[in-house]
Structures are given as structure tokens and as C-alpha cells.
Amino acid sequence: MATDLLGPSAQIPSANSGTPLSRLEIPGAVAEIFASTPIIDIHTHLFAPAFGKLSLWGIDELLTYHYLEAELFRSTSMTPEHYWTLSKSAQAELIWRTLFVENTPISEATRGVIAVLKAFGLPADGNALLEARAFFGNQSFESHIGRVMQLAGISDIIMTNDPLDPDEAPLWLQGVAPHSQFHAVLRLDRILNLWSAHWQAVAAQGYSVDANASAKSISEIRRFLADWAKRMKPVYMACSLPDSFAFPSDSINARLIADAVLPSCRELDLPLSLMIGVRKQVNPRIRLAGDAVGRANLEALENLCRDFPENRFLVSVLSRENQHELCVYARKFNNLMPFGCWWFVNNASIVEEITRERLEMLGSSFIPQHSDARVLEQVIYKWANTRRTIAPILAESYRLLSADGRPVTRIDIQRDVTRLFRSNAETWMDLRRRA
Ligand code: FIX
Ligand code: ZN
């Protein structure tokens, strides 16, 4: 298993893998190959063990996930203000009682917790919380990570790392031991979206920048990015952008992207990941759960891909209405890689729709999914859901290909699954960047 995970992603075809599959054999072959191909999870909010308490895991963290907090506030009379005064364990107990006992856990996020309990052979009835706490309390995090990644069928976890985060940045400045399966990403939201609130934090790290992001600031930000790239060895730079994102424009955000971030990405040979369409904090009372979605004008992306052909753009869009446009733009620009069904579109009914049109329009030249996991064990259900939802859609593509006159073999299926969930990512980002 280890060599498969780390070596080139090509799999050794078995004896009969070149034999054409019958229409009835295709779904089983797809499900089997999908289950046995380790996935590279290209976007998460997980941390390697070296980041200590930043790494969230265990039942209380699973229950207080912001997806569940959003659902809690629809089913409880408790105010958010009161909820935030509770301890983590009291919050978890309220969510368990409200969403898993007093109501049936049928939403995608509540079903996820049930699936995690099942994966560890834990009960899911009313008293499950105590038993789950005892179970997770007995795990050593290091070995637990290995088991969770095995259960999820993933080989690599790509983190989200913020050089201005007050808890995380000091750890990097002290020096963080690398981990072979966790890869860093240089996340730039505070710099690109909240410059007025965070330029002083950049200055405090020793870079002479100013509130207007003047020309001097631009070269200093490039120095900042180069220093952090040396420190983190990121596999890409990233930023989420609002639905109002416009490019080109004379906003600080657009200027920093054009004059600092894109040149640095070219110099460092790193893709830039743009996650477009979030409306931050439409309801700040519920904190992380308070973000929403808006349809973006993707002409900004068109301009970026056309005007910066030397840059690679890894893009995910939050609005359902933007998905088709993203697919079409990917047919126009080969420096654009669509990835994932992000956040509010990460529900089976919409993942089906998005994945079907991407297969029809892009073949296997996209990255279908990422987990966006914030709590370690979430990768178990998020990837089980992805395999369950996408395998039949892939199988349908092969049934149609076979019906159209070209037989399909296990070799075909293995090559496509490997490309979709491994080599597209490996080609776009150098996962073994340790020099
Ligand atoms: O910007 C992002 O990376 C988003 O994924 C997060 O901000 C969001 O809170 C989330 O967890 C979505 O699943
Ligand atoms: Zn995310």
C-alpha cells in the first residue's frame, strides 16, 4: 500500500484488466477501483500533529462543526449569544440532543457524524455520546491519523495555512517538522481581502508595507511571500474571494493579485487557488456558520486566465449557478483546473449534477472533489459520500461509451480514476516539494 501511495500514480494492471467489461460488470469494476485508489485531498482545514491544538479531532469537535451549528440554530430556541457562552462539551451535548435525539439526523452533515461512529464500530443511539467520548479519549493522535486516512482511502492531506493567523504563524516561525502526508498551502485571505485590517501584521513581521499597498508594499509583499514559501514549502497559494470579486479593478485586492501574488507564483512555480463566491458573515451572530453564497461574475476569472497565461489557476466556485460557466472557461483555458464541489454545493444532489456536466465537457481533465474537512474524522464520511455519489456517474459514462461502440476495460477505469483523484493534482502541484 505505502509504495502505491508514494510512487508514481500508475497502478499495475491485473491479468484480465485489458478485457472488455460487459454492461453489467462496469458499475462493480468502477466501485472497486474507486475504493482501492488512494485519493489526494487537495483542500482541507486539517493540520499535521506538529500543530498541536490546531488539529481538531474527536466527537466534540465533530458535533460542533459549523455546518451542524447552522442546523442547530434552526431547531433550538437558544440564542447564538447564549450558545457561545457554553463550554465545548456543553455545546456538543446540545447539538447531539437537538439534532440526533430530538430530531432524525437526515441532513448530509448529521449523517456524516453517524457514518463516522459506524466506521469505528460505535453505537449511534441516544447514549452514543458518552461511549464515543471514551473511545476517542483512548486514541493516540499519531496512530489515529493513520487509521483515519486508511478508512477514508486518502494518501495525502493538503492543509490551509495562514501566515497571519495569531495561533498558527508563531509555530511556523519557530519551525514545524514536515509530515510526509500533510502538505502546506499559503493562504492569503487576510492579505488580499482584509488588507486594511491586516497590513500592520505584515509590517510587524518586518516588512515595510503601508495601508495603501503602495509600490514599495508590493515588492515587500513579494519578499513576504518568498520568505513564507521557503518556510512552508507550499504546494499552492490560495484565497477565497467574494461574489463581488472583479478583475481587473483598482481595488487593493486586484492590484495585489496582479502585481505581487501572480508574479510570485510564476517565480515559485506554484498554482494559485481561487475559491470564488462566498458572502462572508451575512449573519455574524453564528460566526463561522454565518457565511453565505452569491453568484459571481466569472468574467474576472476569464480575464485572469487570458491575461496571465503563465499562471496556473486551481478554481472552485461556491454558487450552483456558476458551475456551468466554470466548466466552459476550463474548455477555453488550459491554465484553469476546476476542482471540488465546495461547501454549499457539496451535497449529493448537486455533486451529481456538477460531476456529470464536468465529465461531459472536460472528460477526466478536472479534480472532482476535495473534503474541506475541519475535523480529522470528517474525511471518512466526506470521501465515502464522494465515492458513493461519483462512482455511478462514472459508470454511466462508461456504459454510454460502450453503447456508442468502444469497449471499456479496467485499465481505462483505473487510468481515469487515478487521473481524476491523483495525477491531475500531482501534475499541477509538486507534492514531494521538500528540497
Ligand atoms: O474558505 C474556505 O476555505 C471555506 O472552505 C471555509 O471558510 C468554510 O468555513 C468551510 O469550512 C467550508 O466547508
Ligand atoms: Zn475550505
Side-chain angles (χ1 to χ4, degrees):
M1 182 75 173
T3 47
D4 284 358
L5 289 178
L6 296 178
S9 289
Q11 305 273 332
I12 316 301
S14 57
N16 63 350
S17 49
T19 316
L21 295 163
S22 73
R23 193 166 54 75
L24 293 176
E25 289 170 321
I26 289 174
V30 172
E32 205 188 297
I33 289 168
F34 209 164
S36 64
T37 302
I39 289 172
I40 296 172
D41 194 345
I42 75 156
H43 173 62
T44 77
H45 297 270
L46 302 176
F47 289 93
F51 292 88
K53 67 175 181 21
L54 293 181
S55 304
L56 306 182
W57 63 292
I59 190 66
D60 284 42
E61 295 296 346
L62 285 168
L63 288 170
T64 53
Y65 180 36
H66 69 83
Y67 287 34
L68 293 176
E69 288 172 335
E71 294 174 26
L72 169 74
F73 294 122
R74 296 190 53 71
S75 299
T76 181
S77 56
M78 181 183 289
T79 64
E81 290 70 24
H82 182 184
Y83 172 82
W84 300 121
T85 66
L86 302 178
S87 67
K88 171 71 71 174
S89 55
Q91 291 172 341
E93 277 146 28
L94 175 68
I95 289 178
W96 178 259
R97 193 171 60 249
T98 310
L99 299 180
F100 294 81
V101 179
E102 293 165 2
N103 289 284
T104 313
I106 50 176
S107 72
E108 185 266 345
T110 50
R111 277 192 290 109
V113 175
I114 299 296
V116 170
L117 294 175
K118 183 181 172 207
F120 291 107
L122 295 165
D125 58 21
N127 309 320
L129 189 48
L130 290 180
E131 196 161 336
R133 280 185 173 149
F135 169 80
F136 287 107
N138 286 332
Q139 306 307 308
S140 89
F141 188 44
E142 285 277 355
S143 59
H144 186 57
I145 290 177
R147 183 161 181 218
V148 167
M149 291 180 74
Q150 195 89 36
L151 286 167
I154 59 175
S155 63
D156 294 86
I157 288 175
I158 298 187
M159 304 185 283
T160 294
N161 308 98
D162 182 345
L164 297 182
D165 179 279
D167 296 323
E168 185 184 350
L171 298 174
W172 285 104
L173 294 168
Q174 285 153 24
V176 176
H179 187 292
S180 63
Q181 291 177 291
F182 284 76
H183 310 276
V185 158
L186 187 44
R187 181 81 180 227
L188 304 172
D189 289 45
R190 289 180 208 241
I191 291 174
L192 294 179
N193 299 333
L194 303 165
W195 179 254
S196 56
H198 295 284
W199 69 271
Q200 278 139 327
V202 176
Q205 289 189 13
Y207 302 89
S208 51
V209 295
D210 56 57
N212 307 319
S214 63
K216 170 71 181 162
S217 296
I218 297 289
S219 56
E220 281 294 277
I221 291 166
R222 294 208 50 195
R223 187 166 70 85
F224 172 93
L225 295 173
D227 291 347
W228 274 96
K230 213 175 286 151
R231 202 171 283 128
M232 284 183 175
K233 300 189 179 39
V235 292
Y236 59 79
M237 293 192 196
C239 187
S240 74
L241 294 164
D243 55 333
S244 57
F245 172 62
F247 190 94
S249 91
D250 52 17
S251 68
I252 287 185
N253 161 291
R255 255 189 322 109
L256 293 181
I257 288 176
D259 303 340
V261 176
L262 291 176
S264 292
C265 282
R266 290 194 297 274
E267 190 181 302
L268 297 160
D269 187 22
L270 291 174
L272 175 62
S273 171
L274 299 175
M275 306 179 82
I276 308 171
V278 59
R279 294 175 66 79
K280 286 283 181 185
Q281 296 297 280
V282 298
N283 180 359
R285 296 174 64 205
I286 58 175
R287 302 186 185 175
L288 259 183
D291 297 338
V293 57
R295 180 177 181 171
N297 177 348
L298 293 188
E299 257 181 69
L301 182 60
E302 174 189 322
N303 299 334
L304 281 166
C305 292
R306 186 193 48 244
D307 301 345
F308 297 90
E310 307 304 319
N311 284 95
R312 302 190 304 281
F313 298 95
L314 267 173
V315 177
S316 205
V317 287
L318 193 53
S319 159
R320 186 180 182 189
E321 291 69 28
N322 280 143
Q323 304 298 335
H324 187 243
E325 293 161 270
L326 177 63
C327 253
V328 173
Y329 279 129
R331 292 172 63 86
K332 311 303 141 193
F333 301 108
N334 67 0
N335 60 340
L336 171 56
M337 174 65 79
F339 79 93
C341 302
W342 182 27
W343 201 348
F344 303 120
V345 292
N346 190 6
N347 300 305
S349 58
I350 309 178
V351 171
E352 282 178 14
E353 178 186 298
I354 295 172
T355 308
R356 205 183 289 281
E357 71 179 351
R358 286 175 173 174
L359 284 169
E360 288 162 349
M361 297 175 80
L362 304 174
S364 55
S365 67
F366 67 99
I367 299 174
Q369 190 59 297
H370 63 277
S371 74
D372 231 320
R374 281 181 174 273
V375 182
L376 178 68
E377 297 85 359
Q378 288 172 341
V379 291
I380 295 172
Y381 78 83
K382 287 179 184 263
W383 285 112
N385 288 351
T386 294
R387 286 185 165 98
R388 181 166 60 191
T389 305
I390 293 183
I393 294 167
L394 211 45
E396 175 61 8
S397 305
Y398 293 125
R399 186 189 68 76
L400 293 170
L401 174 59
S402 173
D404 290 344
R406 186 211 181 270
V408 175
T409 68
R410 295 178 71 90
I411 291 177
D412 295 323
I413 300 172
Q414 183 65 74
R415 177 184 53 207
D416 297 338
V417 170
T418 299
R419 182 175 181 190
L420 289 163
F421 292 97
R422 295 191 64 78
S423 44
N424 280 339
E426 288 171 323
T427 314
W428 271 59
M429 56 193 89
D430 177 356
L431 289 188
R432 310 304 160 202
R433 187 186 288 258
R434 286 275 178 267

